[in-house]
């Protein structure tokens, strides 16, 4: 699934550069979104498949680290390529997806498919499905609320800073970059520290959500020094992200059974929308 989705997404992005018809563009956007998002459940399942026993939370944090680094590099390169030629932007985006597909083939060993034992029955599998797991469904609803609030940091907060706090674009860019720098520098070590302390997953998730709430509350307080207040807001929300996100992911993987981990991962993927692809974001901003 990871190989197919990355390859298909890459080919569709290459096609963007040659499209001038609005309806064809809509079809390409739909297809690219479908395949790009279909990668995520398979990627979550791969974490559980390849991670050593007892390291799922750290493996999830490491995967997030790779995602943040890639997102930061992709955003920067996307802007540079767009400044020269938009054709290069979509060719670069498509090539990166195709390279990712090739690297999965070359570097990841093939995982053995799950085989039902002789004791497995249709009733047993049905009882372990996502929709009959009421605890997971409740958890998924809470996770959806949290991720919706969290991603406002990247979508609405910069607009608020510009229109209400009169920040310029360069300052906003620095504050947004602070999130990625802190996550890349500290999340893996932080998760490893808490994981060694026999973690109470619910407690860490709750602490992360609380820090995120405090960070947003700073936005409604009287502001004398916008840069300091904005930096404190980003740091608190980022600290909340580093506590909540890895343990939310590990809860999902630990809740699933071997034969339905893809379904659990797919349900979790629905709870949060990943940031827009660098190519689409650069195109939209123009």
């Amino acid at each position: 699934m990871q190989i197919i989705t990355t390859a298909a997404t890459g080919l569709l992005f290459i096609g963007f550069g040659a499209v001038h018809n609005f309806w064809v563009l809509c079809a390409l956007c739909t297809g690219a979104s479908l395949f790009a998002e279909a990668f995520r459940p398979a990627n979550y399942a791969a974490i559980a498949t390849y991670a050593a026993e007892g390291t799922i939370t750290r493996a999830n944090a490491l995967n997030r680290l790779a995602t943040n680094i890639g997102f930061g590099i992709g955003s920067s390169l996307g802007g540079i390529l767009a400044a020269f030629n938009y054709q290069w932007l979509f060719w670069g985006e498509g090539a990166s997806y195709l390279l990712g597909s090739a690297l999965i083939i070359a570097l990841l060993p093939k995982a053995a498919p799950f085989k039902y034992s002789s004791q497995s029955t249709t009733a047993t599998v049905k009882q372990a499905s996502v929709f009959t797991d009421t605890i997971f469904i409740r958890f998924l609803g809470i996770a959806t609320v949290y991720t919706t609030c969290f991603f406002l940091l990247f979508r609405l907060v910069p607009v608020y800073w510009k229109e209400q706090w009169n920040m310029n674009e360069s300052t906003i860019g620095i504050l947004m970059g602070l999130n990625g720098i802190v996550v890349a520098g500290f999340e893996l070590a932080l998760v490893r520290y808490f994981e060694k302390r026999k973690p109470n997953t619910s407690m860490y998730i709750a602490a992360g959500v609380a820090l995120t709430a405090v960070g947003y509350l700073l936005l409604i307080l009287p502001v004398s020094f916008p840069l300091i207040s904005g930096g404190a807001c980003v740091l608190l929300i980022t600290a909340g992200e580093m506590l909540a996100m890895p343990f939310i992911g590990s809860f999902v993987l630990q809740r699933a059974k071997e034969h339905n981990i893809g379904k659990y991962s797919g349900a979790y993927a629905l709870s949060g929308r990943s940031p827009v692809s660098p190519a689409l974001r650069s195109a939209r901003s123009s």
Side-chain angles (χ1 to χ4, degrees):
M1 180 61 74
Q2 292 184 98
I3 294 166
I4 292 171
T5 54
T6 49
T9 306
L11 293 173
L12 288 170
F13 268 113
I14 291 174
F16 271 106
V19 170
H20 300 282
N21 181 275
F22 174 75
W23 296 110
V24 176
L25 183 63
C26 290
L28 280 177
C29 286
T30 302
S33 299
L34 173 65
F35 284 107
E37 289 301 308
F39 171 83
R40 293 203 294 156
N43 186 242
Y44 290 136
I47 295 172
T49 301
Y50 293 112
E53 186 177 353
T55 64
I56 285 182
T57 305
R58 274 178 283 167
N60 188 44
L62 185 60
N63 193 52
R64 279 175 36 78
L65 173 62
T67 302
N68 276 284
I69 292 174
F71 184 69
I73 295 173
S75 299
S76 301
L77 290 178
I80 294 172
L81 291 174
F84 285 98
N85 190 311
Y86 269 94
Q87 292 287 344
W88 293 7
L89 174 67
F90 292 113
W91 273 98
E93 181 85 354
S96 67
Y97 275 103
L98 293 174
L99 176 62
S101 181
L103 289 175
I104 294 172
I105 296 172
L107 301 179
L108 289 184
K110 187 175 180 179
F114 173 77
K115 295 182 179 180
Y116 291 99
S117 65
S118 57
Q119 291 80 18
S120 296
T121 64
T122 302
T124 302
V125 173
K126 187 175 180 180
Q127 288 175 0
S129 71
V130 174
F131 299 106
T132 58
D133 189 343
T134 55
I135 293 176
F136 179 73
I137 294 299
R138 290 199 296 267
F139 175 83
L140 202 62
I142 297 170
T144 300
V145 174
Y146 166 70
T147 51
T148 300
C149 295
F150 169 73
F151 281 120
L152 293 178
L153 176 65
F154 304 101
R155 290 176 168 84
L156 294 184
V157 171
V159 178
Y160 177 79
W161 282 338
K162 181 176 176 60
E163 295 186 355
Q164 301 297 321
W165 288 12
N166 297 316
M167 282 188 180
N168 57 46
E169 287 80 358
S170 60
T171 302
I172 294 173
I174 291 172
L175 290 176
M176 289 291 97
L178 186 61
N179 171 265
I181 292 172
V182 173
V183 169
F186 298 100
E187 180 175 283
L188 193 58
L190 185 70
V191 168
R192 184 173 184 177
Y193 171 77
F194 285 118
E195 197 176 40
K196 285 183 176 180
R197 301 183 62 183
K198 297 180 179 180
N200 183 328
T201 301
S202 299
M203 181 181 70
Y204 294 147
I205 294 173
V209 173
L211 286 172
T212 302
V214 174
Y216 280 120
L217 285 173
L218 290 181
L219 296 174
I220 64 174
L221 297 178
V223 177
S224 300
F225 302 97
L227 184 60
I228 295 175
S229 297
C233 169
V234 172
L235 288 175
L236 284 168
I237 294 175
T238 302
E241 174 193 1
M242 292 190 295
L243 275 175
M245 290 286 194
F247 289 102
I248 288 175
S250 66
F251 176 88
V252 174
L253 296 176
Q254 291 166 356
R255 190 78 186 171
K257 303 296 188 294
E258 187 178 3
H259 66 271
N260 62 8
I261 192 168
K263 293 180 179 179
Y264 271 75
S265 300
Y268 172 51
L270 292 175
S271 71
R273 182 67 173 84
S274 60
V276 179
S277 159
L280 290 182
R281 186 174 59 255
S282 297
R284 184 175 63 184
S285 65
S286 68

